[in-house]
Amino acid sequence: MLIPRHIPCIDEATIESLRHAARKFVRRHPHLGYDADDVVQDLVVTLLRKLRGYRPELGAWSTFVKCITRNHLSSLARRRRDEQSTTSIHGHEDDSR
């Protein structure tokens, strides 16, 4: 499969940006119990999945990466809060989902 020319590679600067965002997220939300390296890995996988959606005419690569990162971290936090909420209400994991 060929990658269209307008899709940039995920370079070291992008990875460092993801690492920075993951560390900041984990520091701000220690109660969620995430590991920064796991969050970086999730972000890279998510970015790879969304890569074909990048359109340079709509914005810079860095803006695209920041948007994907922000949305993914928000989803992680929401998902974990929902899991913790379900656990605390029922006293155990809700397996009905």
Side-chain angles (χ1 to χ4, degrees), residues 34 69-81:
Y34 283 108
T69 300
R70 183 189 67 235
N71 290 342
H72 186 71
L73 294 178
S74 294
S75 293
L76 283 179
R78 187 173 37 257
R79 190 175 324 132
R80 186 60 57 97
R81 277 193 302 267

Side-chain angles (χ1 to χ4, degrees), residues 55-78:
R55 298 290 177 257
E57 65 274 10
L58 298 178
W61 170 247
S62 60
T63 304
F64 179 78
V65 171
K66 286 176 188 174
C67 184
I68 297 297
T69 300
R70 183 189 67 235
N71 290 342
H72 186 71
L73 294 178
S74 294
S75 293
L76 283 179
R78 187 173 37 257

